Amino acid sequence: NAGVMQNPRHLVRRRGQEARLRCSPMKGHSHVYWYRQLPEEGLKFMVYLQKENIIDESGMPKERFSAEFPKEGPSILRIQQVVRGDSAAYFCASSTTDRVAEKLFFGSGTQLSVL
Amino acid sequence: AQSVSQHNHHVILSEAASLELGCNYSYGGTVNLFWYVQYPGQHLQLLLKYFSGDPLVKGIKGFEAEFIKSKFSFNLRKPSVQWSDTAEYFCAVEGLLSGGYNKLIFGAGTRLAVHP
């Protein structure tokens, strides 16, 4: 059983371009969480999704950021018109339950660099 | 609002030295507490957790942590570190999202470098 897969591992974009980050949860996991890690900061919660539903997006910036978790396929975190401040590591985690804690498994992250 | 504070952002130790990483949280209710470790280029891994019971919890690789409720602390310790412990360590508290779901709230992390 493969772990949580994120791709790409590294993504370089120029200002104004779009960034798409993919997360394939572990098999059987229907709960996906996205976190962002800025330099010298901890992981900040962004959004929590279940299949085809956004449950909580209280940590998402109001503009340019969106997330989806379709019935088929990976969860996508989309950042439109990227700016330098979007440069960060983006981590996805998945679970079989919304009782997060010990059931949460993390991916290796996508490092986004905006030039 | 719930928050987690880690006091040391960077720690440098020699092998065999003892380690203690501080973690304090702010939350008014019952908490579940965690330490995660991230080795270079790898994903976060659960090191240990506290839900209830004995406040001294033991995790993998010789790590332990003590929950002190009166101090809102959950410090991580290891008596003798190894070079392979070089990693970033995150303290986290499980808190409620609006709507009754749980999420993990992380501290800023501590980067530990162990020199041979």
Side-chain angles (χ1 to χ4, degrees):
Chain A
N1 187 6
V4 178
M5 304 300 292
Q6 289 189 250
N7 66 82
R9 288 294 304 273
H10 301 275
L11 181 61
V12 180
R13 286 287 179 266
R14 297 190 181 280
R15 282 180 296 173
Q17 292 184 320
E18 178 179 286
R20 279 178 177 255
L21 288 64
R22 293 176 184 77
C23 169
S24 296
M26 288 182 69
K27 188 177 181 181
H29 286 196
S30 59
H31 302 253
V32 167
Y33 301 77
W34 284 93
Y35 285 81
R36 176 166 64 173
Q37 182 181 19
L38 293 165
E40 303 301 322
E41 297 185 27
L43 283 80
K44 304 292 186 185
F45 167 79
M46 298 183 75
V47 62
Y48 164 41
L49 309 103
Q50 293 180 18
K51 283 286 187 180
E52 299 184 275
N53 290 304
I54 296 174
I55 306 302
D56 191 300
E57 55 182 350
S58 59
M60 291 276 272
K62 293 287 187 284
E63 297 177 346
R64 302 187 297 108
F65 284 71
S66 62
E68 63 178 12
F69 187 19
K71 186 177 180 180
E72 300 292 337
S75 175
I76 305 289
L77 179 66
R78 182 184 178 205
I79 311 172
Q80 296 177 291
Q81 299 175 333
V82 296
V83 300
R84 287 216 174 113
D86 297 332
S87 295
Y90 292 82
F91 289 92
C92 166
S94 74
S95 172
T96 58
T97 171
D98 59 8
R99 284 292 306 181
V100 177
E102 61 194 323
K103 302 293 187 184
L104 198 63
F105 294 87
F106 283 85
S108 297
T110 293
Q111 181 65 50
L112 172 65
S113 298
V114 179
L115 305 179
Chain B
Q2 300 148 355
S3 65
V4 178
S5 298
Q6 291 183 242
H7 315 300
N8 312 99
H9 292 296
H10 299 276
V11 173
I12 301 173
L13 294 172
S14 299
E15 275 192 319
S18 64
L19 170 73
E20 180 159 3
L21 302 182
C23 173
N24 287 89
Y25 64 93
S26 64
Y27 183 64
T30 302
V31 292
N32 295 328
L33 296 159
F34 307 84
W35 276 96
Y36 281 84
V37 60
Q38 185 181 22
Y39 297 104
Q42 296 187 25
H43 59 274
L44 273 77
Q45 301 173 42
L46 182 63
L47 203 54
L48 49 78
K49 61 184 185 286
Y50 172 78
F51 286 178
S52 64
D54 188 344
L56 184 63
V57 293
K58 295 192 183 296
I60 60 173
K61 304 184 180 184
F63 286 90
E64 64 179 31
E66 185 175 12
F67 170 54
I68 303 179
K69 188 175 181 179
S70 61
K71 295 184 178 180
F72 297 91
S73 70
F74 190 56
N75 292 354
L76 181 71
R77 298 195 292 250
K78 185 171 184 178
S80 176
V81 295
Q82 301 173 309
W83 176 79
S84 58
D85 293 324
T86 295
E88 190 159 16
Y89 294 81
F90 294 92
C91 182
V93 60
E94 184 176 14
L96 278 175
L97 282 168
S98 57
Y101 305 101
N102 286 4
K103 70 176 180 181
L104 284 174
I105 301 165
F106 287 88
T110 298
R111 289 192 177 181
L112 171 65
V114 179
H115 294 296

PDB file of all heavy atoms in Angstrom, chain A residues 22-48:
ATOM      1  N   ARG A  22      -0.620  18.151  -6.839  1.00  0.00           N
ATOM      2  CA  ARG A  22      -1.468  16.962  -6.799  1.00  0.00           C
ATOM      3  C   ARG A  22      -1.176  16.115  -5.571  1.00  0.00           C
ATOM      4  O   ARG A  22      -0.027  16.013  -5.123  1.00  0.00           O
ATOM      5  CB  ARG A  22      -1.245  16.118  -8.052  1.00  0.00           C
ATOM      6  CG  ARG A  22      -1.710  16.782  -9.328  1.00  0.00           C
ATOM      7  CD  ARG A  22      -1.379  15.966 -10.553  1.00  0.00           C
ATOM      8  NE  ARG A  22      -1.760  16.665 -11.776  1.00  0.00           N
ATOM      9  CZ  ARG A  22      -1.082  17.659 -12.313  1.00  0.00           C
ATOM     10  NH1 ARG A  22       0.044  18.088 -11.750  1.00  0.00           N
ATOM     11  NH2 ARG A  22      -1.507  18.232 -13.419  1.00  0.00           N
ATOM     12  N   CYS A  23      -2.213  15.515  -5.073  1.00  0.00           N
ATOM     13  CA  CYS A  23      -2.090  14.652  -3.901  1.00  0.00           C
ATOM     14  C   CYS A  23      -2.963  13.422  -4.097  1.00  0.00           C
ATOM     15  O   CYS A  23      -4.190  13.540  -4.226  1.00  0.00           O
ATOM     16  CB  CYS A  23      -2.524  15.396  -2.640  1.00  0.00           C
ATOM     17  SG  CYS A  23      -2.704  14.322  -1.190  1.00  0.00           S
ATOM     18  N   SER A  24      -2.336  12.267  -4.123  1.00  0.00           N
ATOM     19  CA  SER A  24      -3.082  11.005  -4.177  1.00  0.00           C
ATOM     20  C   SER A  24      -3.063  10.402  -2.784  1.00  0.00           C
ATOM     21  O   SER A  24      -1.995  10.019  -2.288  1.00  0.00           O
ATOM     22  CB  SER A  24      -2.445  10.045  -5.180  1.00  0.00           C
ATOM     23  OG  SER A  24      -2.515  10.572  -6.490  1.00  0.00           O
ATOM     24  N   PRO A  25      -4.203  10.344  -2.129  1.00  0.00           N
ATOM     25  CA  PRO A  25      -4.223   9.818  -0.758  1.00  0.00           C
ATOM     26  C   PRO A  25      -3.949   8.324  -0.743  1.00  0.00           C
ATOM     27  O   PRO A  25      -3.927   7.653  -1.773  1.00  0.00           O
ATOM     28  CB  PRO A  25      -5.648  10.116  -0.289  1.00  0.00           C
ATOM     29  CG  PRO A  25      -6.448  10.180  -1.541  1.00  0.00           C
ATOM     30  CD  PRO A  25      -5.527  10.731  -2.596  1.00  0.00           C
ATOM     31  N   MET A  26      -3.728   7.827   0.441  1.00  0.00           N
ATOM     32  CA  MET A  26      -3.549   6.388   0.594  1.00  0.00           C
ATOM     33  C   MET A  26      -4.838   5.681   0.177  1.00  0.00           C
ATOM     34  O   MET A  26      -5.935   6.239   0.290  1.00  0.00           O
ATOM     35  CB  MET A  26      -3.197   6.049   2.033  1.00  0.00           C
ATOM     36  CG  MET A  26      -1.793   6.455   2.422  1.00  0.00           C
ATOM     37  SD  MET A  26      -1.355   5.991   4.111  1.00  0.00           S
ATOM     38  CE  MET A  26      -1.287   4.204   3.958  1.00  0.00           C
ATOM     39  N   LYS A  27      -4.698   4.455  -0.256  1.00  0.00           N
ATOM     40  CA  LYS A  27      -5.846   3.672  -0.704  1.00  0.00           C
ATOM     41  C   LYS A  27      -6.863   3.553   0.433  1.00  0.00           C
ATOM     42  O   LYS A  27      -6.504   3.230   1.574  1.00  0.00           O
ATOM     43  CB  LYS A  27      -5.381   2.284  -1.136  1.00  0.00           C
ATOM     44  CG  LYS A  27      -6.474   1.447  -1.790  1.00  0.00           C
ATOM     45  CD  LYS A  27      -5.916   0.126  -2.256  1.00  0.00           C
ATOM     46  CE  LYS A  27      -6.996  -0.705  -2.932  1.00  0.00           C
ATOM     47  NZ  LYS A  27      -6.493  -2.025  -3.395  1.00  0.00           N
ATOM     48  N   GLY A  28      -8.101   3.866   0.104  1.00  0.00           N
ATOM     49  CA  GLY A  28      -9.150   3.756   1.104  1.00  0.00           C
ATOM     50  C   GLY A  28      -9.362   5.005   1.936  1.00  0.00           C
ATOM     51  O   GLY A  28     -10.290   5.072   2.739  1.00  0.00           O
ATOM     52  N   HIS A  29      -8.503   6.019   1.735  1.00  0.00           N
ATOM     53  CA  HIS A  29      -8.634   7.268   2.492  1.00  0.00           C
ATOM     54  C   HIS A  29      -9.522   8.231   1.722  1.00  0.00           C
ATOM     55  O   HIS A  29      -9.261   8.538   0.559  1.00  0.00           O
ATOM     56  CB  HIS A  29      -7.261   7.901   2.729  1.00  0.00           C
ATOM     57  CG  HIS A  29      -6.450   7.203   3.748  1.00  0.00           C
ATOM     58  ND1 HIS A  29      -5.345   7.795   4.338  1.00  0.00           N
ATOM     59  CD2 HIS A  29      -6.554   5.976   4.300  1.00  0.00           C
ATOM     60  CE1 HIS A  29      -4.820   6.952   5.214  1.00  0.00           C
ATOM     61  NE2 HIS A  29      -5.534   5.845   5.198  1.00  0.00           N
ATOM     62  N   SER A  30     -10.528   8.747   2.411  1.00  0.00           N
ATOM     63  CA  SER A  30     -11.445   9.678   1.755  1.00  0.00           C
ATOM     64  C   SER A  30     -11.378  11.084   2.336  1.00  0.00           C
ATOM     65  O   SER A  30     -12.173  11.944   1.976  1.00  0.00           O
ATOM     66  CB  SER A  30     -12.878   9.147   1.857  1.00  0.00           C
ATOM     67  OG  SER A  30     -13.237   8.991   3.225  1.00  0.00           O
ATOM     68  N   HIS A  31     -10.462  11.293   3.281  1.00  0.00           N
ATOM     69  CA  HIS A  31     -10.294  12.608   3.907  1.00  0.00           C
ATOM     70  C   HIS A  31      -8.910  13.138   3.549  1.00  0.00           C
ATOM     71  O   HIS A  31      -7.916  12.448   3.739  1.00  0.00           O
ATOM     72  CB  HIS A  31     -10.413  12.508   5.428  1.00  0.00           C
ATOM     73  CG  HIS A  31     -11.716  11.937   5.900  1.00  0.00           C
ATOM     74  ND1 HIS A  31     -12.695  12.717   6.479  1.00  0.00           N
ATOM     75  CD2 HIS A  31     -12.198  10.680   5.874  1.00  0.00           C
ATOM     76  CE1 HIS A  31     -13.729  11.954   6.796  1.00  0.00           C
ATOM     77  NE2 HIS A  31     -13.448  10.723   6.443  1.00  0.00           N
ATOM     78  N   VAL A  32      -8.870  14.356   3.039  1.00  0.00           N
ATOM     79  CA  VAL A  32      -7.607  14.963   2.623  1.00  0.00           C
ATOM     80  C   VAL A  32      -7.457  16.339   3.268  1.00  0.00           C
ATOM     81  O   VAL A  32      -8.413  17.124   3.299  1.00  0.00           O
ATOM     82  CB  VAL A  32      -7.535  15.086   1.090  1.00  0.00           C
ATOM     83  CG1 VAL A  32      -6.391  15.998   0.667  1.00  0.00           C
ATOM     84  CG2 VAL A  32      -7.346  13.714   0.448  1.00  0.00           C
ATOM     85  N   TYR A  33      -6.274  16.598   3.751  1.00  0.00           N
ATOM     86  CA  TYR A  33      -5.948  17.888   4.364  1.00  0.00           C
ATOM     87  C   TYR A  33      -4.740  18.466   3.635  1.00  0.00           C
ATOM     88  O   TYR A  33      -3.804  17.742   3.321  1.00  0.00           O
ATOM     89  CB  TYR A  33      -5.573  17.720   5.842  1.00  0.00           C
ATOM     90  CG  TYR A  33      -6.643  17.089   6.703  1.00  0.00           C
ATOM     91  CD1 TYR A  33      -6.867  15.713   6.658  1.00  0.00           C
ATOM     92  CD2 TYR A  33      -7.417  17.856   7.558  1.00  0.00           C
ATOM     93  CE1 TYR A  33      -7.841  15.123   7.452  1.00  0.00           C
ATOM     94  CE2 TYR A  33      -8.391  17.274   8.354  1.00  0.00           C
ATOM     95  CZ  TYR A  33      -8.592  15.908   8.294  1.00  0.00           C
ATOM     96  OH  TYR A  33      -9.574  15.334   9.074  1.00  0.00           O
ATOM     97  N   TRP A  34      -4.777  19.750   3.407  1.00  0.00           N
ATOM     98  CA  TRP A  34      -3.621  20.444   2.832  1.00  0.00           C
ATOM     99  C   TRP A  34      -3.056  21.402   3.886  1.00  0.00           C
ATOM    100  O   TRP A  34      -3.802  22.137   4.548  1.00  0.00           O
ATOM    101  CB  TRP A  34      -4.015  21.240   1.588  1.00  0.00           C
ATOM    102  CG  TRP A  34      -4.221  20.411   0.355  1.00  0.00           C
ATOM    103  CD1 TRP A  34      -5.386  19.876  -0.110  1.00  0.00           C
ATOM    104  CD2 TRP A  34      -3.219  20.039  -0.607  1.00  0.00           C
ATOM    105  NE1 TRP A  34      -5.173  19.195  -1.275  1.00  0.00           N
ATOM    106  CE2 TRP A  34      -3.852  19.275  -1.609  1.00  0.00           C
ATOM    107  CE3 TRP A  34      -1.842  20.278  -0.708  1.00  0.00           C
ATOM    108  CZ2 TRP A  34      -3.160  18.758  -2.705  1.00  0.00           C
ATOM    109  CZ3 TRP A  34      -1.169  19.764  -1.805  1.00  0.00           C
ATOM    110  CH2 TRP A  34      -1.813  19.013  -2.776  1.00  0.00           C
ATOM    111  N   TYR A  35      -1.719  21.398   3.972  1.00  0.00           N
ATOM    112  CA  TYR A  35      -0.999  22.292   4.869  1.00  0.00           C
ATOM    113  C   TYR A  35       0.069  23.025   4.070  1.00  0.00           C
ATOM    114  O   TYR A  35       0.606  22.506   3.095  1.00  0.00           O
ATOM    115  CB  TYR A  35      -0.309  21.518   5.997  1.00  0.00           C
ATOM    116  CG  TYR A  35      -1.225  21.011   7.084  1.00  0.00           C
ATOM    117  CD1 TYR A  35      -1.958  19.837   6.929  1.00  0.00           C
ATOM    118  CD2 TYR A  35      -1.347  21.709   8.282  1.00  0.00           C
ATOM    119  CE1 TYR A  35      -2.781  19.375   7.939  1.00  0.00           C
ATOM    120  CE2 TYR A  35      -2.163  21.248   9.301  1.00  0.00           C
ATOM    121  CZ  TYR A  35      -2.882  20.087   9.117  1.00  0.00           C
ATOM    122  OH  TYR A  35      -3.697  19.638  10.130  1.00  0.00           O
ATOM    123  N   ARG A  36       0.415  24.222   4.523  1.00  0.00           N
ATOM    124  CA  ARG A  36       1.493  24.987   3.906  1.00  0.00           C
ATOM    125  C   ARG A  36       2.559  25.287   4.962  1.00  0.00           C
ATOM    126  O   ARG A  36       2.228  25.657   6.091  1.00  0.00           O
ATOM    127  CB  ARG A  36       0.948  26.295   3.311  1.00  0.00           C
ATOM    128  CG  ARG A  36       2.021  27.197   2.741  1.00  0.00           C
ATOM    129  CD  ARG A  36       1.465  28.300   1.886  1.00  0.00           C
ATOM    130  NE  ARG A  36       0.617  29.238   2.597  1.00  0.00           N
ATOM    131  CZ  ARG A  36       0.138  30.351   2.057  1.00  0.00           C
ATOM    132  NH1 ARG A  36       0.424  30.650   0.791  1.00  0.00           N
ATOM    133  NH2 ARG A  36      -0.636  31.161   2.754  1.00  0.00           N
ATOM    134  N   GLN A  37       3.798  25.138   4.566  1.00  0.00           N
ATOM    135  CA  GLN A  37       4.906  25.400   5.476  1.00  0.00           C
ATOM    136  C   GLN A  37       5.757  26.507   4.882  1.00  0.00           C
ATOM    137  O   GLN A  37       6.422  26.322   3.864  1.00  0.00           O
ATOM    138  CB  GLN A  37       5.750  24.144   5.690  1.00  0.00           C
ATOM    139  CG  GLN A  37       6.891  24.334   6.677  1.00  0.00           C
ATOM    140  CD  GLN A  37       7.718  23.079   6.837  1.00  0.00           C
ATOM    141  OE1 GLN A  37       7.697  22.187   6.002  1.00  0.00           O
ATOM    142  NE2 GLN A  37       8.465  22.999   7.931  1.00  0.00           N
ATOM    143  N   LEU A  38       5.715  27.654   5.518  1.00  0.00           N
ATOM    144  CA  LEU A  38       6.558  28.767   5.100  1.00  0.00           C
ATOM    145  C   LEU A  38       7.874  28.705   5.867  1.00  0.00           C
ATOM    146  O   LEU A  38       7.930  28.150   6.975  1.00  0.00           O
ATOM    147  CB  LEU A  38       5.839  30.091   5.357  1.00  0.00           C
ATOM    148  CG  LEU A  38       4.586  30.325   4.500  1.00  0.00           C
ATOM    149  CD1 LEU A  38       3.745  31.460   5.061  1.00  0.00           C
ATOM    150  CD2 LEU A  38       4.996  30.636   3.068  1.00  0.00           C
ATOM    151  N   PRO A  39       8.933  29.306   5.317  1.00  0.00           N
ATOM    152  CA  PRO A  39      10.222  29.279   6.007  1.00  0.00           C
ATOM    153  C   PRO A  39      10.100  29.784   7.433  1.00  0.00           C
ATOM    154  O   PRO A  39       9.466  30.817   7.678  1.00  0.00           O
ATOM    155  CB  PRO A  39      11.088  30.205   5.143  1.00  0.00           C
ATOM    156  CG  PRO A  39      10.480  30.129   3.786  1.00  0.00           C
ATOM    157  CD  PRO A  39       9.002  29.978   4.012  1.00  0.00           C
ATOM    158  N   GLU A  40      10.689  29.058   8.362  1.00  0.00           N
ATOM    159  CA  GLU A  40      10.720  29.441   9.784  1.00  0.00           C
ATOM    160  C   GLU A  40       9.334  29.414  10.434  1.00  0.00           C
ATOM    161  O   GLU A  40       9.162  29.932  11.528  1.00  0.00           O
ATOM    162  CB  GLU A  40      11.349  30.822   9.980  1.00  0.00           C
ATOM    163  CG  GLU A  40      12.755  30.939   9.428  1.00  0.00           C
ATOM    164  CD  GLU A  40      13.743  29.961  10.043  1.00  0.00           C
ATOM    165  OE1 GLU A  40      13.641  29.710  11.260  1.00  0.00           O
ATOM    166  OE2 GLU A  40      14.612  29.432   9.320  1.00  0.00           O
ATOM    167  N   GLU A  41       8.362  28.838   9.774  1.00  0.00           N
ATOM    168  CA  GLU A  41       7.037  28.722  10.369  1.00  0.00           C
ATOM    169  C   GLU A  41       6.624  27.264  10.383  1.00  0.00           C
ATOM    170  O   GLU A  41       7.136  26.441   9.656  1.00  0.00           O
ATOM    171  CB  GLU A  41       6.020  29.551   9.583  1.00  0.00           C
ATOM    172  CG  GLU A  41       6.296  31.038   9.588  1.00  0.00           C
ATOM    173  CD  GLU A  41       5.182  31.814   8.906  1.00  0.00           C
ATOM    174  OE1 GLU A  41       4.042  31.339   8.890  1.00  0.00           O
ATOM    175  OE2 GLU A  41       5.477  32.914   8.381  1.00  0.00           O
ATOM    176  N   GLY A  42       5.658  26.960  11.200  1.00  0.00           N
ATOM    177  CA  GLY A  42       5.153  25.597  11.228  1.00  0.00           C
ATOM    178  C   GLY A  42       4.208  25.343  10.077  1.00  0.00           C
ATOM    179  O   GLY A  42       4.026  26.176   9.201  1.00  0.00           O
ATOM    180  N   LEU A  43       3.639  24.173  10.083  1.00  0.00           N
ATOM    181  CA  LEU A  43       2.651  23.841   9.061  1.00  0.00           C
ATOM    182  C   LEU A  43       1.332  24.521   9.414  1.00  0.00           C
ATOM    183  O   LEU A  43       0.809  24.360  10.514  1.00  0.00           O
ATOM    184  CB  LEU A  43       2.435  22.330   8.990  1.00  0.00           C
ATOM    185  CG  LEU A  43       3.518  21.530   8.281  1.00  0.00           C
ATOM    186  CD1 LEU A  43       4.700  21.301   9.186  1.00  0.00           C
ATOM    187  CD2 LEU A  43       2.962  20.209   7.785  1.00  0.00           C
ATOM    188  N   LYS A  44       0.802  25.233   8.454  1.00  0.00           N
ATOM    189  CA  LYS A  44      -0.462  25.941   8.647  1.00  0.00           C
ATOM    190  C   LYS A  44      -1.558  25.225   7.887  1.00  0.00           C
ATOM    191  O   LYS A  44      -1.432  24.975   6.678  1.00  0.00           O
ATOM    192  CB  LYS A  44      -0.355  27.391   8.152  1.00  0.00           C
ATOM    193  CG  LYS A  44       0.760  28.187   8.792  1.00  0.00           C
ATOM    194  CD  LYS A  44       0.507  28.440  10.255  1.00  0.00           C
ATOM    195  CE  LYS A  44       1.576  29.365  10.830  1.00  0.00           C
ATOM    196  NZ  LYS A  44       1.433  29.537  12.295  1.00  0.00           N
ATOM    197  N   PHE A  45      -2.638  24.935   8.577  1.00  0.00           N
ATOM    198  CA  PHE A  45      -3.777  24.291   7.948  1.00  0.00           C
ATOM    199  C   PHE A  45      -4.356  25.183   6.850  1.00  0.00           C
ATOM    200  O   PHE A  45      -4.500  26.396   7.038  1.00  0.00           O
ATOM    201  CB  PHE A  45      -4.844  24.004   9.004  1.00  0.00           C
ATOM    202  CG  PHE A  45      -6.186  23.621   8.444  1.00  0.00           C
ATOM    203  CD1 PHE A  45      -6.414  22.341   7.976  1.00  0.00           C
ATOM    204  CD2 PHE A  45      -7.203  24.554   8.364  1.00  0.00           C
ATOM    205  CE1 PHE A  45      -7.651  21.990   7.460  1.00  0.00           C
ATOM    206  CE2 PHE A  45      -8.441  24.215   7.849  1.00  0.00           C
ATOM    207  CZ  PHE A  45      -8.661  22.929   7.398  1.00  0.00           C
ATOM    208  N   MET A  46      -4.674  24.576   5.718  1.00  0.00           N
ATOM    209  CA  MET A  46      -5.286  25.328   4.634  1.00  0.00           C
ATOM    210  C   MET A  46      -6.736  24.891   4.398  1.00  0.00           C
ATOM    211  O   MET A  46      -7.653  25.685   4.484  1.00  0.00           O
ATOM    212  CB  MET A  46      -4.494  25.158   3.339  1.00  0.00           C
ATOM    213  CG  MET A  46      -3.065  25.666   3.409  1.00  0.00           C
ATOM    214  SD  MET A  46      -2.214  25.514   1.832  1.00  0.00           S
ATOM    215  CE  MET A  46      -2.966  26.865   0.923  1.00  0.00           C
ATOM    216  N   VAL A  47      -6.905  23.597   4.123  1.00  0.00           N
ATOM    217  CA  VAL A  47      -8.227  23.139   3.718  1.00  0.00           C
ATOM    218  C   VAL A  47      -8.375  21.662   4.036  1.00  0.00           C
ATOM    219  O   VAL A  47      -7.402  20.901   4.040  1.00  0.00           O
ATOM    220  CB  VAL A  47      -8.444  23.411   2.212  1.00  0.00           C
ATOM    221  CG1 VAL A  47      -7.437  22.641   1.366  1.00  0.00           C
ATOM    222  CG2 VAL A  47      -9.865  23.090   1.768  1.00  0.00           C
ATOM    223  N   TYR A  48      -9.628  21.292   4.293  1.00  0.00           N
ATOM    224  CA  TYR A  48      -9.977  19.895   4.574  1.00  0.00           C
ATOM    225  C   TYR A  48     -11.070  19.487   3.597  1.00  0.00           C
ATOM    226  O   TYR A  48     -12.102  20.166   3.495  1.00  0.00           O
ATOM    227  CB  TYR A  48     -10.421  19.770   6.022  1.00  0.00           C
ATOM    228  CG  TYR A  48     -11.173  18.508   6.383  1.00  0.00           C
ATOM    229  CD1 TYR A  48     -10.798  17.264   5.880  1.00  0.00           C
ATOM    230  CD2 TYR A  48     -12.255  18.577   7.258  1.00  0.00           C
ATOM    231  CE1 TYR A  48     -11.499  16.123   6.234  1.00  0.00           C
ATOM    232  CE2 TYR A  48     -12.960  17.441   7.616  1.00  0.00           C
ATOM    233  CZ  TYR A  48     -12.577  16.209   7.105  1.00  0.00           C
ATOM    234  OH  TYR A  48     -13.264  15.081   7.449  1.00  0.00           O
TER     235      TYR A  48
END
